[in-house]
Amino acid sequence: MGKNTIIAIAGASASGKSLFASTVYQELVAELGGERIAILSEDAYYRDQSHLSFDQRILTNYDHPSAFEHSLLVEHLKLLRAGQNIAMPQYSYKLHTRLDETIKVQAAKVILVEGILLLTDERLRDEFDITVFMDTPLDICLLRRIKRDLEDRGRSLASVTEQYESTVRPAFFEFIAPSKQYADLVVTRGGKNQIAIDIIKAKIRQLLAE
Ligand SMILES: Nc1ncnc2c1ncn2[C@@H]1O[C@H](COP(=O)(O)OP(=O)(O)O)[C@@H](O)[C@H]1O
Ligand SMILES: O=c1ccn([C@@H]2O[C@H](COP(=O)(O)O)[C@@H](O)[C@H]2O)c(=O)[nH]1
C-alpha cells in the first residue's frame, strides 16, 4: 500500500462529527467501494470500566482526556498506517464501558477518525495528515445532545443537564475550543454541511487516484 492519509474530525459533543464522518464515508463507499477507506471513532477508545460498578462508572468525567485510552488509539493508527488490520474496541454509552466484542477495521489508504479530544493530544496530532474542526454553535450542540442522549443513549433530561453543566461545557472551553487552532478546515453548521462534505470527498478521491 502507498502512503496513507489519516483525516481527523474534532469538535464539541453533538457538533455533528459523527454524522459528517459517516456521510463522507458512506457516500464514498457507495461510489468507490469500501476497500480503501476506513472509519474509526475516538469514543471506542474510552477506557474499559468493567472492573467498576455502574454507580462508580457514572461518576467518571467523560469529557476529560483521562477518560480516553489515547495510547491505544495512537497504536491502532500506527498499525493501520503500516498496513495491518486492527480490532477496534466497542463502547456502550448505556453501560459506560467497553463491550467484550471488538470490530475488525481493515487497513486502508484513507482513514477517517472522529472525536471530541482528537486535536488536544500531541501524540494524536502527529498521526493526522488532515484535520477538520466542526464549529457548530454550542447552544445548537446542546439542543442536539439533549435529543440524541434521550433517544439513543438512555439518559434522562435531568442527567443530561447535570452532566452538561458539570463536565461537558467546562471541558469544551478548557480543551476542545483551544484545539481549533490545529484544524486545517473549520466546518460551520454541523454534519449536514454538504459543501464541506463534498470538499473532503474531493480530496479523498484525489488521494485515492495518486
Ligand atoms: N446539520 C445538522 N442538522 C440537523 N441535525 C444535525 C446536524 N448535524 C448533526 N445533527 C444531529 O445532531 C445529533 C448530534 O450529531 P452527531 O453527529 O452525533 O454529533 P457528534 O458526533 O459531534 O457528537 C445527531 O442526532 C445528528 O443527526
Ligand atoms: O460513558 C460515556 C461516554 C461518553 N459520554 C459523553 O459522550 C460525549 C462524547 O461523544 P460525542 O458523540 O462526541 O457526543 C462526551 O461529551 C461525554 O460526555 C457519556 O456521557 N458517557
Side-chain angles (χ1 to χ4, degrees), residues 81-118:
R81 223 191 244 296
Q84 293 183 43
N85 303 337
I86 60 152
M88 180 171 74
Q90 275 200 79
Y91 187 80
S92 165
Y93 300 102
K94 290 186 179 164
L95 300 175
H96 303 287
T97 193
R98 287 188 195 162
L99 303 177
D100 290 336
E101 304 80 28
T102 56
I103 295 177
K104 181 178 171 187
V105 179
Q106 308 250 35
K109 184 143 191 215
V110 173
I111 298 146
L112 293 164
V113 54
E114 59 83 18
I116 52 173
L117 297 179
L118 291 176

mmCIF file of all heavy atoms in Angstrom, residues 81-118:
data_model
loop_
_atom_site.group_PDB
_atom_site.id
_atom_site.type_symbol
_atom_site.label_atom_id
_atom_site.label_comp_id
_atom_site.label_asym_id
_atom_site.label_seq_id
_atom_site.Cartn_x
_atom_site.Cartn_y
_atom_site.Cartn_z
ATOM 1 N N ARG A 81 -1.664 2.481 9.536
ATOM 2 C CA ARG A 81 -0.720 3.137 8.614
ATOM 3 C C ARG A 81 0.283 2.142 8.037
ATOM 4 O O ARG A 81 0.694 2.244 6.890
ATOM 5 C CB ARG A 81 0.043 4.225 9.354
ATOM 6 C CG ARG A 81 0.180 5.497 8.571
ATOM 7 C CD ARG A 81 1.133 6.412 9.226
ATOM 8 N NE ARG A 81 0.561 7.643 9.702
ATOM 9 C CZ ARG A 81 0.014 8.568 8.925
ATOM 10 N NH1 ARG A 81 -0.098 8.384 7.634
ATOM 11 N NH2 ARG A 81 -0.456 9.673 9.436
ATOM 12 N N ALA A 82 0.655 1.157 8.882
ATOM 13 C CA ALA A 82 1.643 0.152 8.445
ATOM 14 C C ALA A 82 0.985 -0.974 7.635
ATOM 15 O O ALA A 82 1.639 -1.956 7.287
ATOM 16 C CB ALA A 82 2.338 -0.424 9.671
ATOM 17 N N GLY A 83 -0.321 -0.834 7.377
ATOM 18 C CA GLY A 83 -0.993 -1.822 6.538
ATOM 19 C C GLY A 83 -1.553 -3.012 7.295
ATOM 20 O O GLY A 83 -1.931 -4.023 6.703
ATOM 21 N N GLN A 84 -1.629 -2.894 8.625
ATOM 22 C CA GLN A 84 -2.161 -4.012 9.416
ATOM 23 C C GLN A 84 -3.582 -3.715 9.895
ATOM 24 O O GLN A 84 -3.915 -2.561 10.193
ATOM 25 C CB GLN A 84 -1.267 -4.251 10.628
ATOM 26 C CG GLN A 84 0.112 -4.767 10.230
ATOM 27 C CD GLN A 84 0.951 -5.064 11.452
ATOM 28 O OE1 GLN A 84 0.490 -5.636 12.417
ATOM 29 N NE2 GLN A 84 2.197 -4.648 11.411
ATOM 30 N N ASN A 85 -4.406 -4.777 9.986
ATOM 31 C CA ASN A 85 -5.772 -4.623 10.478
ATOM 32 C C ASN A 85 -5.751 -4.443 11.990
ATOM 33 O O ASN A 85 -4.799 -4.849 12.660
ATOM 34 C CB ASN A 85 -6.607 -5.848 10.130
ATOM 35 C CG ASN A 85 -6.625 -6.112 8.634
ATOM 36 O OD1 ASN A 85 -6.397 -5.185 7.845
ATOM 37 N ND2 ASN A 85 -6.882 -7.341 8.254
ATOM 38 N N ILE A 86 -6.820 -3.861 12.536
ATOM 39 C CA ILE A 86 -6.908 -3.713 13.998
ATOM 40 C C ILE A 86 -8.243 -4.267 14.506
ATOM 41 O O ILE A 86 -9.196 -4.413 13.741
ATOM 42 C CB ILE A 86 -6.780 -2.234 14.435
ATOM 43 C CG1 ILE A 86 -7.901 -1.375 13.802
ATOM 44 C CG2 ILE A 86 -5.396 -1.678 14.114
ATOM 45 C CD1 ILE A 86 -8.287 -0.166 14.630
ATOM 46 N N ALA A 87 -8.277 -4.533 15.812
ATOM 47 C CA ALA A 87 -9.527 -4.900 16.481
ATOM 48 C C ALA A 87 -9.947 -3.682 17.302
ATOM 49 O O ALA A 87 -9.439 -3.454 18.408
ATOM 50 C CB ALA A 87 -9.308 -6.108 17.371
ATOM 51 N N MET A 88 -10.864 -2.878 16.731
ATOM 52 C CA MET A 88 -11.286 -1.647 17.424
ATOM 53 C C MET A 88 -12.247 -2.003 18.556
ATOM 54 O O MET A 88 -13.196 -2.770 18.347
ATOM 55 C CB MET A 88 -11.978 -0.701 16.427
ATOM 56 C CG MET A 88 -12.449 0.585 17.062
ATOM 57 S SD MET A 88 -13.042 1.808 15.860
ATOM 58 C CE MET A 88 -14.623 1.112 15.402
ATOM 59 N N PRO A 89 -12.022 -1.441 19.764
ATOM 60 C CA PRO A 89 -12.972 -1.723 20.854
ATOM 61 C C PRO A 89 -14.368 -1.225 20.488
ATOM 62 O O PRO A 89 -14.523 -0.379 19.614
ATOM 63 C CB PRO A 89 -12.408 -0.908 22.025
ATOM 64 C CG PRO A 89 -11.020 -0.552 21.656
ATOM 65 C CD PRO A 89 -10.955 -0.530 20.165
ATOM 66 N N GLN A 90 -15.372 -1.765 21.169
ATOM 67 C CA GLN A 90 -16.746 -1.242 21.042
ATOM 68 C C GLN A 90 -17.153 -0.709 22.400
ATOM 69 O O GLN A 90 -16.969 -1.410 23.407
ATOM 70 C CB GLN A 90 -17.710 -2.354 20.669
ATOM 71 C CG GLN A 90 -17.791 -2.620 19.206
ATOM 72 C CD GLN A 90 -19.084 -3.369 18.883
ATOM 73 O OE1 GLN A 90 -20.141 -2.782 18.815
ATOM 74 N NE2 GLN A 90 -18.968 -4.664 18.717
ATOM 75 N N TYR A 91 -17.728 0.497 22.414
ATOM 76 C CA TYR A 91 -18.062 1.134 23.690
ATOM 77 C C TYR A 91 -19.571 1.295 23.807
ATOM 78 O O TYR A 91 -20.243 1.634 22.839
ATOM 79 C CB TYR A 91 -17.388 2.516 23.751
ATOM 80 C CG TYR A 91 -17.530 3.167 25.100
ATOM 81 C CD1 TYR A 91 -16.694 2.806 26.149
ATOM 82 C CD2 TYR A 91 -18.529 4.106 25.341
ATOM 83 C CE1 TYR A 91 -16.838 3.378 27.401
ATOM 84 C CE2 TYR A 91 -18.674 4.685 26.586
ATOM 85 C CZ TYR A 91 -17.831 4.318 27.609
ATOM 86 O OH TYR A 91 -17.983 4.889 28.859
ATOM 87 N N SER A 92 -20.084 1.059 25.010
ATOM 88 C CA SER A 92 -21.520 1.247 25.266
ATOM 89 C C SER A 92 -21.730 2.500 26.105
ATOM 90 O O SER A 92 -21.275 2.570 27.249
ATOM 91 C CB SER A 92 -22.091 0.033 26.002
ATOM 92 O OG SER A 92 -23.354 0.371 26.544
ATOM 93 N N TYR A 93 -22.454 3.495 25.544
ATOM 94 C CA TYR A 93 -22.770 4.717 26.296
ATOM 95 C C TYR A 93 -23.795 4.421 27.387
ATOM 96 O O TYR A 93 -23.910 5.179 28.340
ATOM 97 C CB TYR A 93 -23.352 5.796 25.371
ATOM 98 C CG TYR A 93 -22.440 6.228 24.263
ATOM 99 C CD1 TYR A 93 -22.620 5.760 22.970
ATOM 100 C CD2 TYR A 93 -21.409 7.126 24.500
ATOM 101 C CE1 TYR A 93 -21.796 6.168 21.940
ATOM 102 C CE2 TYR A 93 -20.576 7.547 23.480
ATOM 103 C CZ TYR A 93 -20.776 7.055 22.205
ATOM 104 O OH TYR A 93 -19.954 7.466 21.176
ATOM 105 N N LYS A 94 -24.559 3.333 27.219
ATOM 106 C CA LYS A 94 -25.576 2.999 28.226
ATOM 107 C C LYS A 94 -24.935 2.315 29.425
ATOM 108 O O LYS A 94 -25.299 2.556 30.569
ATOM 109 C CB LYS A 94 -26.655 2.111 27.608
ATOM 110 C CG LYS A 94 -27.518 2.873 26.613
ATOM 111 C CD LYS A 94 -28.681 2.056 26.096
ATOM 112 C CE LYS A 94 -29.502 2.902 25.114
ATOM 113 N NZ LYS A 94 -30.405 2.125 24.291
ATOM 114 N N LEU A 95 -23.928 1.446 29.165
ATOM 115 C CA LEU A 95 -23.264 0.714 30.267
ATOM 116 C C LEU A 95 -22.023 1.459 30.760
ATOM 117 O O LEU A 95 -21.448 1.094 31.788
ATOM 118 C CB LEU A 95 -22.850 -0.690 29.786
ATOM 119 C CG LEU A 95 -23.991 -1.589 29.307
ATOM 120 C CD1 LEU A 95 -23.443 -2.904 28.747
ATOM 121 C CD2 LEU A 95 -24.980 -1.856 30.436
ATOM 122 N N HIS A 96 -21.591 2.476 30.019
ATOM 123 C CA HIS A 96 -20.382 3.252 30.339
ATOM 124 C C HIS A 96 -19.135 2.366 30.425
ATOM 125 O O HIS A 96 -18.277 2.556 31.283
ATOM 126 C CB HIS A 96 -20.530 4.017 31.665
ATOM 127 C CG HIS A 96 -21.705 4.934 31.700
ATOM 128 N ND1 HIS A 96 -21.748 6.119 31.005
ATOM 129 C CD2 HIS A 96 -22.888 4.841 32.351
ATOM 130 C CE1 HIS A 96 -22.917 6.714 31.228
ATOM 131 N NE2 HIS A 96 -23.614 5.961 32.033
ATOM 132 N N THR A 97 -19.031 1.414 29.547
ATOM 133 C CA THR A 97 -17.809 0.602 29.481
ATOM 134 C C THR A 97 -17.726 -0.066 28.108
ATOM 135 O O THR A 97 -18.648 0.037 27.296
ATOM 136 C CB THR A 97 -17.768 -0.445 30.611
ATOM 137 O OG1 THR A 97 -16.444 -0.992 30.673
ATOM 138 C CG2 THR A 97 -18.782 -1.565 30.418
ATOM 139 N N ARG A 98 -16.593 -0.728 27.872
ATOM 140 C CA ARG A 98 -16.425 -1.438 26.604
ATOM 141 C C ARG A 98 -17.213 -2.745 26.615
ATOM 142 O O ARG A 98 -17.377 -3.361 27.668
ATOM 143 C CB ARG A 98 -14.939 -1.756 26.370
ATOM 144 C CG ARG A 98 -14.157 -0.530 26.017
ATOM 145 C CD ARG A 98 -12.749 -0.875 25.595
ATOM 146 N NE ARG A 98 -11.939 0.342 25.610
ATOM 147 C CZ ARG A 98 -10.621 0.368 25.628
ATOM 148 N NH1 ARG A 98 -9.941 -0.785 25.609
ATOM 149 N NH2 ARG A 98 -9.966 1.500 25.641
ATOM 150 N N LEU A 99 -17.623 -3.162 25.415
ATOM 151 C CA LEU A 99 -18.253 -4.474 25.258
ATOM 152 C C LEU A 99 -17.145 -5.512 25.075
ATOM 153 O O LEU A 99 -15.987 -5.167 24.828
ATOM 154 C CB LEU A 99 -19.179 -4.463 24.038
ATOM 155 C CG LEU A 99 -20.289 -3.394 24.054
ATOM 156 C CD1 LEU A 99 -21.084 -3.435 22.759
ATOM 157 C CD2 LEU A 99 -21.211 -3.599 25.260
ATOM 158 N N ASP A 100 -17.499 -6.782 25.211
ATOM 159 C CA ASP A 100 -16.484 -7.830 25.030
ATOM 160 C C ASP A 100 -16.050 -7.925 23.568
ATOM 161 O O ASP A 100 -14.901 -8.234 23.271
ATOM 162 C CB ASP A 100 -17.042 -9.196 25.482
ATOM 163 C CG ASP A 100 -17.202 -9.228 26.997
ATOM 164 O OD1 ASP A 100 -16.493 -8.458 27.669
ATOM 165 O OD2 ASP A 100 -18.060 -9.993 27.479
ATOM 166 N N GLU A 101 -17.009 -7.654 22.646
ATOM 167 C CA GLU A 101 -16.705 -7.810 21.216
ATOM 168 C C GLU A 101 -15.910 -6.605 20.700
ATOM 169 O O GLU A 101 -16.055 -5.499 21.193
ATOM 170 C CB GLU A 101 -18.006 -7.905 20.383
ATOM 171 C CG GLU A 101 -18.960 -8.999 20.793
ATOM 172 C CD GLU A 101 -19.806 -8.611 22.005
ATOM 173 O OE1 GLU A 101 -20.049 -7.412 22.202
ATOM 174 O OE2 GLU A 101 -20.183 -9.522 22.771
ATOM 175 N N THR A 102 -15.073 -6.875 19.692
ATOM 176 C CA THR A 102 -14.375 -5.789 19.000
ATOM 177 C C THR A 102 -14.814 -5.793 17.533
ATOM 178 O O THR A 102 -15.476 -6.733 17.085
ATOM 179 C CB THR A 102 -12.847 -5.980 19.061
ATOM 180 O OG1 THR A 102 -12.539 -7.267 18.514
ATOM 181 C CG2 THR A 102 -12.319 -5.880 20.485
ATOM 182 N N ILE A 103 -14.456 -4.733 16.815
ATOM 183 C CA ILE A 103 -14.792 -4.652 15.388
ATOM 184 C C ILE A 103 -13.492 -4.668 14.600
ATOM 185 O O ILE A 103 -12.569 -3.897 14.898
ATOM 186 C CB ILE A 103 -15.565 -3.347 15.076
ATOM 187 C CG1 ILE A 103 -16.918 -3.367 15.783
ATOM 188 C CG2 ILE A 103 -15.739 -3.155 13.577
ATOM 189 C CD1 ILE A 103 -17.724 -2.093 15.584
ATOM 190 N N LYS A 104 -13.434 -5.547 13.591
ATOM 191 C CA LYS A 104 -12.223 -5.588 12.756
ATOM 192 C C LYS A 104 -12.234 -4.397 11.792
ATOM 193 O O LYS A 104 -13.214 -4.186 11.070
ATOM 194 C CB LYS A 104 -12.195 -6.897 11.961
ATOM 195 C CG LYS A 104 -10.969 -7.037 11.096
ATOM 196 C CD LYS A 104 -10.980 -8.375 10.373
ATOM 197 C CE LYS A 104 -9.879 -8.443 9.347
ATOM 198 N NZ LYS A 104 -9.957 -9.661 8.522
ATOM 199 N N VAL A 105 -11.167 -3.602 11.832
ATOM 200 C CA VAL A 105 -11.029 -2.495 10.875
ATOM 201 C C VAL A 105 -9.854 -2.831 9.970
ATOM 202 O O VAL A 105 -8.740 -3.089 10.443
ATOM 203 C CB VAL A 105 -10.781 -1.138 11.592
ATOM 204 C CG1 VAL A 105 -10.617 -0.015 10.572
ATOM 205 C CG2 VAL A 105 -11.928 -0.823 12.558
ATOM 206 N N GLN A 106 -10.140 -2.869 8.678
ATOM 207 C CA GLN A 106 -9.105 -3.230 7.692
ATOM 208 C C GLN A 106 -8.216 -2.029 7.398
ATOM 209 O O GLN A 106 -8.716 -0.899 7.319
ATOM 210 C CB GLN A 106 -9.767 -3.610 6.362
ATOM 211 C CG GLN A 106 -10.845 -4.638 6.492
ATOM 212 C CD GLN A 106 -10.420 -5.971 5.897
ATOM 213 O OE1 GLN A 106 -9.242 -6.333 5.994
ATOM 214 N NE2 GLN A 106 -11.344 -6.680 5.307
ATOM 215 N N ALA A 107 -6.945 -2.271 7.228
ATOM 216 C CA ALA A 107 -6.026 -1.210 6.805
ATOM 217 C C ALA A 107 -6.550 -0.604 5.505
ATOM 218 O O ALA A 107 -7.083 -1.321 4.658
ATOM 219 C CB ALA A 107 -4.636 -1.783 6.597
ATOM 220 N N ALA A 108 -6.412 0.693 5.355
ATOM 221 C CA ALA A 108 -6.975 1.367 4.185
ATOM 222 C C ALA A 108 -6.094 2.549 3.812
ATOM 223 O O ALA A 108 -5.305 3.027 4.628
ATOM 224 C CB ALA A 108 -8.390 1.852 4.496
ATOM 225 N N LYS A 109 -6.272 3.000 2.590
ATOM 226 C CA LYS A 109 -5.436 4.124 2.139
ATOM 227 C C LYS A 109 -5.853 5.433 2.822
ATOM 228 O O LYS A 109 -5.029 6.276 3.133
ATOM 229 C CB LYS A 109 -5.527 4.263 0.617
ATOM 230 C CG LYS A 109 -4.617 5.353 0.095
ATOM 231 C CD LYS A 109 -3.981 5.026 -1.226
ATOM 232 C CE LYS A 109 -2.893 6.046 -1.523
ATOM 233 N NZ LYS A 109 -2.757 6.391 -2.901
ATOM 234 N N VAL A 110 -7.155 5.573 3.052
ATOM 235 C CA VAL A 110 -7.646 6.771 3.752
ATOM 236 C C VAL A 110 -8.383 6.332 5.010
ATOM 237 O O VAL A 110 -9.246 5.455 4.966
ATOM 238 C CB VAL A 110 -8.575 7.600 2.842
ATOM 239 C CG1 VAL A 110 -9.215 8.742 3.623
ATOM 240 C CG2 VAL A 110 -7.802 8.151 1.650
ATOM 241 N N ILE A 111 -7.999 6.926 6.131
ATOM 242 C CA ILE A 111 -8.598 6.563 7.425
ATOM 243 C C ILE A 111 -9.244 7.808 8.015
ATOM 244 O O ILE A 111 -8.583 8.830 8.224
ATOM 245 C CB ILE A 111 -7.503 6.009 8.373
ATOM 246 C CG1 ILE A 111 -6.895 4.737 7.778
ATOM 247 C CG2 ILE A 111 -8.070 5.761 9.773
ATOM 248 C CD1 ILE A 111 -5.430 4.564 8.081
ATOM 249 N N LEU A 112 -10.565 7.720 8.268
ATOM 250 C CA LEU A 112 -11.296 8.819 8.914
ATOM 251 C C LEU A 112 -11.429 8.490 10.391
ATOM 252 O O LEU A 112 -11.755 7.359 10.746
ATOM 253 C CB LEU A 112 -12.702 8.925 8.330
ATOM 254 C CG LEU A 112 -12.857 9.349 6.876
ATOM 255 C CD1 LEU A 112 -14.262 9.010 6.375
ATOM 256 C CD2 LEU A 112 -12.605 10.835 6.732
ATOM 257 N N VAL A 113 -11.190 9.492 11.258
ATOM 258 C CA VAL A 113 -11.385 9.271 12.691
ATOM 259 C C VAL A 113 -12.034 10.522 13.272
ATOM 260 O O VAL A 113 -11.663 11.636 12.908
ATOM 261 C CB VAL A 113 -10.052 8.892 13.402
ATOM 262 C CG1 VAL A 113 -8.946 9.874 13.150
ATOM 263 C CG2 VAL A 113 -10.240 8.713 14.901
ATOM 264 N N GLU A 114 -13.073 10.308 14.115
ATOM 265 C CA GLU A 114 -13.759 11.480 14.689
ATOM 266 C C GLU A 114 -13.848 11.369 16.199
ATOM 267 O O GLU A 114 -13.947 10.275 16.733
ATOM 268 C CB GLU A 114 -15.146 11.665 14.038
ATOM 269 C CG GLU A 114 -16.122 10.519 14.161
ATOM 270 C CD GLU A 114 -16.891 10.458 15.456
ATOM 271 O OE1 GLU A 114 -16.953 11.468 16.168
ATOM 272 O OE2 GLU A 114 -17.426 9.377 15.765
ATOM 273 N N GLY A 115 -13.757 12.546 16.876
ATOM 274 C CA GLY A 115 -13.889 12.530 18.329
ATOM 275 C C GLY A 115 -13.634 13.898 18.941
ATOM 276 O O GLY A 115 -12.987 14.752 18.327
ATOM 277 N N ILE A 116 -14.129 14.084 20.184
ATOM 278 C CA ILE A 116 -14.104 15.423 20.806
ATOM 279 C C ILE A 116 -12.694 15.928 21.097
ATOM 280 O O ILE A 116 -12.413 17.110 20.970
ATOM 281 C CB ILE A 116 -14.941 15.488 22.113
ATOM 282 C CG1 ILE A 116 -14.573 14.375 23.107
ATOM 283 C CG2 ILE A 116 -16.418 15.488 21.810
ATOM 284 C CD1 ILE A 116 -15.255 14.503 24.478
ATOM 285 N N LEU A 117 -11.785 15.027 21.515
ATOM 286 C CA LEU A 117 -10.485 15.489 22.031
ATOM 287 C C LEU A 117 -9.307 15.136 21.131
ATOM 288 O O LEU A 117 -8.147 15.217 21.546
ATOM 289 C CB LEU A 117 -10.259 14.925 23.449
ATOM 290 C CG LEU A 117 -11.268 15.382 24.516
ATOM 291 C CD1 LEU A 117 -10.957 14.751 25.868
ATOM 292 C CD2 LEU A 117 -11.287 16.901 24.651
ATOM 293 N N LEU A 118 -9.609 14.774 19.883
ATOM 294 C CA LEU A 118 -8.531 14.317 18.987
ATOM 295 C C LEU A 118 -7.426 15.341 18.803
ATOM 296 O O LEU A 118 -6.247 14.993 18.738
ATOM 297 C CB LEU A 118 -9.103 13.962 17.610
ATOM 298 C CG LEU A 118 -9.989 12.730 17.528
ATOM 299 C CD1 LEU A 118 -10.544 12.580 16.118
ATOM 300 C CD2 LEU A 118 -9.226 11.476 17.943
#
